[in-house]
Structure formats: C-alpha cells, structure tokens
Amino acid sequence: MKLMQVGTRVAAVAAAGVLLAGCGGSDTKGKDGPDPKPSGSAKQGGPATDGEKTGASKKPDPEQSTLPGALPSAYDFTPNPDRVPKNAAQARKLTRNAALGENDWTAGMVRHTPYESAGSWTVLPDSCVWTRSALPPDILDSFTRRLDIPAQDGKGRVQGAVTVTVHRTEAGADREIKDTVQESFRCPQQELGGGQRLSGLMSLQFDQKDVRNADASLFEAGKYTGPESGGVQDYVWSKSRIGPVTTAVSVKGAKGYTNTDLLRIAAEGGAKVLYRVELELK
C-alpha cells in the first residue's frame, strides 16, 4: 500500500510539474532565515541555489502551435557571451534586474518582511535543517525577493519567493539543478527555521524535450506548516536554468487556495523571471 501511495504521488508531481514546464517563456512579458525554499544543496554550499516566424510557403510544424504567443517546439536561446556576468558586480546587476518585485509577479502582491536577502547561500546538511553560509567560490551572486498575496476575503496569506543565482560556469549551474533533485529524496522533511516546516517533498527533473522556456527545469511539491499557516497547506516550488543562471520560485499555500491556484501563481512567476533573465543575457 505504501508503494502504491508513493507511485500516486510521483504521478501527481509529474502531472502538476508539466503545467509549470510548459508555461511562459520568451513571449511572456512583465517586468534573515532561510528562504521559503532555499536555492542550494549541501554539496555546493560547502561546510556549513516572438513566437517563431513562419513564411507563407512554409508548412507549419505539426508539433508547433500557431496560436499567438505559442511556445516554440524546442528551447533554442543562446546567451550572448558579452552579456554573461564575469564578476560579482555584473552578477549583482543581473540578479537585481531579473528578480520580480511586487508589481511584476501577480496582481495584489505586497512585500514580505524581510523583503530581500543577498550575499549568502542556503545549504541543507544531513540534519535537514536549512542554514546559511557564505557564497561558494563558484557562485558570483544569489539574490532573493519575497512577496505575499495578503489575507483577504476569507482566504489566508500566500507567501512567494523568487531567487536568481549567477554561477561562474554553466556546468556549475547545471550541477545545482542536479543536486537539488536529490534533496527531497535525502530530506523529505525539512526545517526552514522560525517554526516553518516542509514535509512529504518529492522532486522531478523534466526531460529537456518537455521544457520550452529554459535549458533545464525541475519541480517540487509537498506540504507546508508554519506560524499563521492555518494548518497544513500545499507547497510548490520550481527551479530552472538558462546558461549559468538559475531561477527558483516557491509558493507556500494558505486557507482558501487550491493546489491549482498555487501552480498558476508559481508558473506565472517562473515564466516572468526566466523572460527577464533572457533580457539580461541577450
């Protein structure tokens, strides 16, 4: 029975994740303790991250939608080498420009307190309690903004966060993606600090053919509890990579919000931050 339940959860994570992997992309426009879902792994942290043009005579690709704003059949963006950050100052400029503010994500969002954190790296040791350390040598910058949908109309407060990280190399960014997938298997229950807890976590990295707005993407889902959470709530999180830059978007649920609501919020935030990363790298 336990194996059947795990299999069902894997299928649910996969189905929900496909919604995030296929959302947004190049034509989606819009400008103190560990984060709601930290961005790195213990390995990396050290000891202590327009539509395709078609000519009138060209036969449309059967796998390519011709609807306005449709995603391409494959991701083919290549960062401009001259725009890829080479030092910490350039990386800080990119992360601040790409991270979403309260007017950039979804309607009605306000700044969380604390709003921003930078210059440190979150790690998950064997204790499964997230901690912070100095930035590893292979990371130029990592920057987080936290935004909430306030409690209103009988619904609770949804907490979101977006993190943008610039690695020195594309290989380093890819390693962050791969290491992150293993974290939920190593620590399916995680402590975020301040009485916040994640449980029942499961991660899935997508096959590249299913990702239309990044070089690589993964999705994670589980449950969240914490002060003023109103009980056990759904939790969704995604991480993506474009070149040497990774983006992470987390959404912690609240009373009155379904898992589908959270997926929509996460997909919107994920698509917008990836679009902004592309603008910085093109």
Side-chain angles (χ1 to χ4, degrees):
M1 178 63 73
K2 186 175 182 180
L3 290 176
M4 183 179 295
Q5 292 174 339
V6 170
T8 301
R9 287 172 59 207
V10 170
V13 168
V18 166
L19 296 177
L20 291 177
C23 287
S26 298
D27 27 45
T28 302
K29 299 183 180 180
K31 279 225 163 272
D32 331 329
D35 305 328
K37 179 64 170 75
S39 55
S41 67
K43 280 186 180 179
Q44 290 180 295
T49 192
D50 296 75
E52 182 182 27
K53 295 182 179 179
T54 56
S57 62
K58 180 180 177 182
K59 184 177 180 180
D61 183 340
E63 296 184 359
Q64 171 68 51
S65 172
T66 57
L67 295 175
L71 288 168
S73 57
Y75 189 70
D76 60 359
F77 175 77
T78 300
N80 180 343
D82 294 333
R83 300 273 290 171
V84 174
K86 307 297 191 303
N87 55 51
Q90 294 173 350
R92 284 193 293 270
K93 181 179 179 181
L94 184 150
T95 58
R96 273 68 173 172
N97 288 343
L100 305 179
E102 65 265 40
N103 297 318
D104 303 320
W105 191 337
T106 196
M109 275 191 153
V110 298
R111 296 184 178 190
H112 184 86
T113 302
Y115 174 48
E116 299 178 338
S117 62
S120 62
W121 188 245
T122 46
V123 297
L124 185 64
D126 291 341
S127 65
C128 298
V129 178
W130 284 97
T131 61
R132 284 192 175 277
S133 72
L135 286 176
D138 60 331
I139 293 177
L140 293 173
D141 189 55
S142 187
F143 179 67
T144 296
R145 281 189 177 139
R146 303 171 186 83
L147 298 160
D148 296 348
I149 299 177
Q152 56 189 344
D153 300 326
K155 294 183 177 182
R157 176 173 62 103
V158 169
Q159 301 176 65
V162 56
T163 298
V164 183
T165 300
V166 180
H167 291 254
R168 291 186 182 275
T169 65
E170 185 174 308
D174 195 52
R175 185 167 58 252
E176 179 191 342
I177 295 288
K178 289 179 168 55
D179 287 348
T180 300
V181 176
Q182 300 304 315
E183 290 173 351
S184 67
F185 296 99
R186 181 166 60 88
C187 290
Q189 327 297 326
Q190 300 174 8
E191 300 287 343
L192 302 179
Q196 300 180 92
R197 179 180 176 83
L198 301 177
S199 60
L201 294 173
M202 297 197 74
S203 293
L204 172 72
Q205 182 171 356
F206 303 114
D207 189 305
Q208 184 53 43
K209 67 180 177 60
D210 296 322
V211 182
R212 309 296 177 84
N213 59 355
D215 291 316
S217 288
L218 63 86
F219 172 74
E220 182 171 281
K223 298 295 183 179
Y224 162 76
T225 56
E228 302 179 15
S229 67
V232 179
Q233 306 295 345
D234 287 321
Y235 167 84
V236 298
W237 181 72
S238 67
K239 176 174 284 189
S240 300
R241 176 183 69 81
I242 296 178
V245 180
T246 62
T247 64
V249 172
S250 70
V251 181
K252 296 188 293 189
K255 175 186 175 182
Y257 288 88
T258 66
N259 190 259
T260 300
D261 294 329
L262 304 186
L263 287 169
R264 176 190 56 78
I265 295 167
E268 182 178 352
K272 287 180 176 178
V273 70
L274 286 171
Y275 175 75
R276 290 163 72 114
V277 169
E278 281 193 7
L279 290 182
E280 294 298 311
L281 294 176
K282 67 186 301 184

